[in-house]
Amino acid sequence: MENNIYIRKSSRSSISLRIDNSGNLYVYCPLKFSDAQIQEIINEKKQWIDKHIQNIINKRKIYQSYYNYSKIMYLGKSYDIIVSDKKLQIGESTINIRTNVNLIKTLKNWLIKRSDFIFDRLDYWAKIIGVKYLSKNHTNARKKWGSCDSKQNIKMNFRLIMLDIKLIDYVCIHELCHIIHLNHSKRFWKKVEDFLPDYKTLRKELKKYSFVLELF
């Protein structure tokens, strides 16, 4: 994995480091910091940097077939992606394609077309919980599975359609409960638990699929 270092200087008063999903290091620091000072901090944090980059390498090895789009997940099941002459096969689903088709864009569109199922689950749980939202939309977010703002607008990551229905339900319930408690207080988690007694287990399981947010 080739790693690059990007320096971002601004009027900020402190320095921070961030490593993205490709292993690139971003250094955010005050304008007055010299190259020597920045390099000194990078050297001091070398162990932390190396550890995080190795974690990224390990994760990409485990899920390599998803990162290179030879496999895809749909509703928790894994399918081989087979590309033949003018056809793309995903399980029992066949997509007619052009010879020079953009595979990643085609797969993304295939998932988005099926992601209304997420809203079906959202509507189902909204009735059970007894809440109403103002709007619902898909999102292409890289960090969040879903969100609910103070105006009760809910956004659900289209990549959720790749996960098992129990995890889709967890995210739906999580965001709907924010209509009642717009925080992560004890009362919020108690409300989630009322509808999902095993939410802690599902929450941990969802974290295992964080790599999905890096796809497409």
Side-chain angles (χ1 to χ4, degrees), residues 1-4 6 18-26 52-53 56-57 59-60 67 214:
M1 178 181 287
E2 184 178 349
N3 312 113
N4 298 307
Y6 299 97
R18 180 178 71 85
I19 299 174
D20 68 15
N21 296 323
S22 297
N24 298 309
L25 174 65
Y26 290 81
H52 278 70
I53 290 177
I56 292 170
I57 292 172
K59 181 172 65 173
R60 285 188 170 266
Y67 281 110
E214 301 169 18

Side-chain angles (χ1 to χ4, degrees), residues 71-86:
K71 285 183 179 291
I72 193 171
M73 287 174 56
Y74 175 63
L75 291 179
K77 294 182 179 180
S78 180
Y79 297 92
D80 290 328
I81 297 170
I82 302 171
V83 182
S84 58
D85 184 35
K86 296 185 179 181

Side-chain angles (χ1 to χ4, degrees), residues 5 27 36 39 45 50 78 118 124 146 154 158 161 177 183 200:
I5 299 175
V27 181
Q39 188 58 54
K45 295 292 185 179
D50 290 346
S78 180
I118 299 168
Y124 170 81
I154 291 181
F158 81 90
I161 198 62
C177 285
N183 51 45
K200 290 181 180 179

Side-chain angles (χ1 to χ4, degrees), residues 122-165:
L122 188 71
D123 293 341
Y124 170 81
W125 284 107
K127 291 178 181 178
I128 291 177
I129 297 171
V131 294
K132 293 182 179 180
Y133 47 80
L134 182 63
S135 70
K136 56 185 178 182
N137 289 290
H138 290 307
T139 177
N140 193 32
R142 291 293 185 179
K143 297 293 184 181
K144 293 182 178 181
W145 292 108
S147 65
C148 177
D149 63 23
S150 59
K151 295 182 179 179
Q152 301 174 0
N153 298 302
I154 291 181
K155 293 181 180 180
M156 304 294 280
N157 199 308
F158 81 90
R159 298 174 185 85
L160 272 170
I161 198 62
M162 300 174 71
L163 307 186
D164 189 279
I165 187 172

